[in-house]
Amino acid sequence: MAERPRYMAPQIPDDEEIQKEDNIRCLTTLGHFGFECFPYQLVNRSIQQGFAFNILCVGETGIGKSTLIDTLFNTNLKDNKSSHFYSNVGLKIQTYELQESNVQLKLTVVKTVGYGDQLNKETSYQPIIDYIDAQLEAYLQEELKIKRSFFEYHDSRVHVCLYFISPTGHSLKSLDLLTMKNIDSRVNIIPLIAKADTISKNDLQKFKSKIMNELISNGIQIYQFPTDDETTAQVNSSMNGLLPFAVVGSMDEVKVGKRMVRGRHYPWGVLQVENENHCDFVKLRDMLLCTNMENLKEQTHTQHYECYRCCRLQKMGFTDVGPDNQPVSFQEIYEAKRQEFYDQCQRQEEELKQRFMQLVKEKETTLKEAEKELQDKFEHLKRVQQEEIMKLEEERRQLEEEIIDFYKMKASSETLQTQVCTNTKKDKDRKK
Ligand SMILES: Nc1nc2c(ncn2[C@@H]2O[C@H](COP(=O)(O)OP(=O)(O)O)[C@@H](O)[C@H]2O)c(=O)[nH]1
Ligand SMILES: [Mg+2]
């Protein structure tokens, strides 16, 4: 008996089975192919690879950043208390490997240090921008490499920024507005009202709407939970209406009835962190970790990274269309850039040559002038010396004449003296 084929050959469908839609034929499969298992393959691969998530916490010192992160992951991530006396804002980066069931999570938490502690807060947001950009740049550089190794590459791009707002009950501080305005195009911002247990229920509602109005009137874009997936659309859109989340953090275990819960114990009662009537902590955790972590990562890649990449490549001179609005290829741009660079080098070389010639000419003129000056000086000195020689010659001549005169006078005086002596002797002899 002939062996039965493992898979039935697909039969050619009747014309009625072919639905035409944008020239794509939709066929009903008549046998089992196996591609219904694609999703499982993806799940298995993801579990094997593990997940990575990078959170940036921006907020004043002591506002509750470390406590909230510990509470979110129900782990003591062992962070020391920060000082209020830093002269500049800094960032503390810590990476942890966490595991829940068989899912591994490489969690990177970046927290601001010294934020809001300086008198002059004008540039407090700069280190935050620099950090976000540096991670986007690192990814871009990896992408531009010839030999890319995305499998081992640790993607450090910030997936979400939890912005901690002080529970003042009044309004946002100018530092909050300035920072959020400057980072909103680079990262997904989720605003949080920190230490929400310090604010009453009525004040909290007013404070929330005040914050949202201020964000809108200052044109600040915060992350919106996506509503395009029908499985999460309803919950996400209701959560969008609850932003900013009012959160409370605590790792303390408090007894409520017969149960131990995480909360903060006050003289007047217990605030239960995971009780949705007490604060929005559970909503934040669900939105951040259960429902939208993948979307946050996707937004980081498709929106923020794309925007950064586009600007950087444009700054480098790359473009998709030429001056005549015609598409241009990477090769054409590269060739044009190369030619431009070559021309620029030529121009610079020519300019340098001209400058060199000019300098040589200037130097020659100065040297010639100096030579002429020296020649004039020499001529002058020569003249002065000749005059001096002439003067000395004249003086010598006069002296020689004087000497001759002197000797003449001396000779005549000697003759005279001899005559006088002779006459005196004659006179003496005569008297004798
Ligand atoms: N009332 C209240 N206190 C909190 C809350 N979260 C943290 N704290 C307290 O605030 C202090 C500073 O918290 P910490 O997490 O170290 O702040 P960080 O400097 O922003 O990391 C600690 O004493 C915490 O116990 C909160 O939600 N409510
Ligand atoms: Mg801390």
Side-chain angles (χ1 to χ4, degrees):
M1 218 171 95
E3 208 178 308
R4 259 178 61 192
R6 207 153 167 213
Y7 296 110
M8 284 179 47
Q11 292 172 0
I12 297 165
D14 296 340
D15 276 356
E16 300 93 74
E17 283 181 286
I18 303 171
Q19 298 162 24
K20 279 203 168 171
E21 194 187 286
D22 299 332
N23 282 337
I24 298 173
R25 296 199 305 169
C26 294
L27 308 180
T28 319
T29 56
L30 301 172
H32 172 79
F33 293 98
F35 64 73
E36 64 181 10
C37 297
F38 280 177
Y40 304 111
Q41 293 178 27
L42 285 178
V43 169
N44 288 340
R45 202 188 58 185
S46 300
I47 287 176
Q48 259 174 25
Q49 275 179 3
F51 293 83
F53 194 53
N54 307 324
I55 304 180
L56 167 67
C57 299
V58 180
E60 294 166 14
T61 311
I63 204 167
K65 300 183 291 295
S66 305
T67 314
L68 188 85
I69 293 293
D70 282 357
T71 320
L72 268 177
F73 294 95
N74 196 13
T75 313
N76 187 353
L77 299 174
K78 295 197 176 68
D79 191 10
N80 299 334
K81 275 203 172 153
S82 301
S83 143
H84 281 278
F85 302 104
Y86 289 105
S87 52
N88 289 311
V89 174
L91 292 165
K92 196 186 222 175
I93 306 153
Q94 287 159 317
T95 301
Y96 311 92
E97 299 270 359
L98 303 176
Q99 180 155 2
E100 187 176 35
S101 315
N102 61 343
V103 179
Q104 303 261 0
L105 176 68
K106 190 167 187 176
L107 174 73
T108 301
V109 182
V110 183
K111 289 176 212 148
T112 52
V113 177
Y115 186 76
D117 289 334
Q118 295 76 33
L119 280 177
N120 183 355
K121 301 184 181 67
E122 253 174 67
T123 55
S124 294
Y125 63 83
Q126 198 56 49
I128 303 168
I129 291 187
D130 292 346
Y131 177 79
I132 299 171
D133 283 355
Q135 311 322 305
L136 296 170
E137 179 66 27
Y139 192 87
L140 178 66
Q141 290 306 323
E142 186 62 34
E143 239 186 15
L144 294 177
K145 273 186 189 169
I146 304 278
K147 268 192 178 175
R148 298 182 298 178
S149 47
F150 276 120
F151 197 69
E152 298 114 61
Y153 180 75
H154 173 57
D155 182 3
S156 58
R157 292 173 299 174
V158 178
H159 299 128
V160 66
C161 164
L162 299 179
Y163 194 94
F164 289 70
I165 298 164
S166 282
T168 58
H170 295 284
S171 56
L172 288 168
K173 297 179 184 179
S174 42
L175 175 62
D176 299 329
L177 292 170
L178 199 63
T179 302
M180 284 198 260
K181 183 89 197 136
N182 277 285
I183 62 172
D184 70 348
S185 60
R186 295 172 156 88
V187 70
N188 300 312
I189 303 176
I190 299 186
L192 306 176
I193 298 173
K195 298 189 178 178
D197 51 328
T198 59
I199 194 163
S200 77
K201 211 170 176 178
N202 279 344
D203 288 349
L204 188 63
Q205 282 322 309
K206 285 186 210 145
F207 191 35
K208 276 192 177 191
S209 46
K210 185 88 198 290
I211 290 170
M212 287 314 285
N213 286 339
E214 277 186 287
L215 290 176
I216 292 166
S217 60
N218 284 283
I220 295 168
Q221 288 290 323
I222 58 166
Y223 173 72
Q224 292 292 303
F225 302 117
T227 50
D228 48 3
D229 175 353
E230 58 186 40
T231 53
T232 53
Q234 206 182 346
V235 63
N236 277 353
S237 83
S238 69
M239 290 298 145
N240 281 331
L242 287 176
L243 286 171
F245 288 140
V247 292
V248 177
S250 173
M251 288 301 284
D252 296 345
E253 296 268 319
V254 188
K255 195 161 188 185
V256 176
K258 287 181 183 160
R259 287 184 308 129
M260 292 299 283
V261 294
R262 281 190 299 161
R264 302 188 77 87
H265 202 165
Y266 293 104
W268 37 262
V270 171
L271 183 137
Q272 299 169 36
V273 169
E274 287 168 284
N275 184 329
E276 290 198 49
N277 292 320
H278 291 191
C279 70
D280 299 333
F281 172 79
V282 172
K283 295 184 181 85
L284 170 70
R285 191 177 58 193
D286 285 353
M287 285 292 101
L288 195 64
L289 306 179
C290 297
T291 321
N292 295 305
M293 191 197 261
E294 212 36 55
N295 182 264
L296 283 161
K297 292 172 83 170
E298 198 182 297
Q299 284 291 312
T300 304
H301 188 70
T302 56
Q303 193 184 326
H304 303 301
Y305 172 67
E306 205 52 36
C307 180
Y308 179 83
R309 180 181 161 277
C310 183
C311 292
R312 278 283 286 126
L313 293 183
Q314 272 174 354
K315 261 191 209 157
M316 283 185 209
F318 292 105
T319 168
D320 291 333
V321 285
D324 47 358
N325 249 6
Q326 288 298 307
V328 278
S329 71
F330 192 84
Q331 177 75 23
E332 283 168 329
I333 292 172
Y334 171 74
E335 293 293 346
K337 279 268 138 205
R338 202 159 159 252
Q339 188 58 42
E340 198 182 298
F341 181 68
Y342 179 74
D343 292 348
Q344 194 185 338
C345 282
Q346 293 268 302
R347 264 199 315 276
Q348 280 177 349
E349 195 182 325
E350 195 52 42
E351 271 171 28
L352 278 174
K353 262 189 202 161
Q354 295 290 337
R355 180 97 194 96
F356 178 72
M357 298 298 281
Q358 173 90 5
L359 280 173
V360 168
K361 260 188 202 159
E362 278 173 20
K363 203 76 203 164
E364 261 178 16
T365 320
T366 348
L367 280 174
K368 267 187 191 153
E369 275 170 9
E371 191 186 347
K372 192 172 172 300
E373 216 171 278
L374 275 175
Q375 188 67 32
D376 289 353
K377 222 177 192 170
F378 173 70
E379 294 291 338
H380 173 72
L381 284 174
K382 208 166 138 190
R383 254 194 330 271
V384 169
Q385 195 199 29
Q386 272 172 356
E387 280 170 15
E388 198 77 12
I389 290 171
M390 274 162 67
K391 224 161 128 187
L392 285 173
E393 283 290 327
E394 179 61 28
E395 277 177 14
R396 198 177 78 165
R397 202 183 49 75
Q398 277 180 8
L399 269 176
E400 279 172 359
E401 277 176 12
E402 276 174 25
I403 290 169
I404 292 168
D405 285 352
F406 172 73
Y407 280 120
K408 272 184 190 165
M409 272 170 67
K410 193 182 165 193
S412 60
S413 89
E414 278 174 359
T415 321
L416 206 66
Q417 206 174 5
T418 321
Q419 262 180 6
V420 170
C421 283
T422 320
N423 286 345
T424 320
K425 202 177 170 191
K426 273 182 188 170
D427 279 352
K428 269 185 189 172
D429 289 345
R430 229 179 287 141
K431 274 179 193 170
K432 276 180 193 172

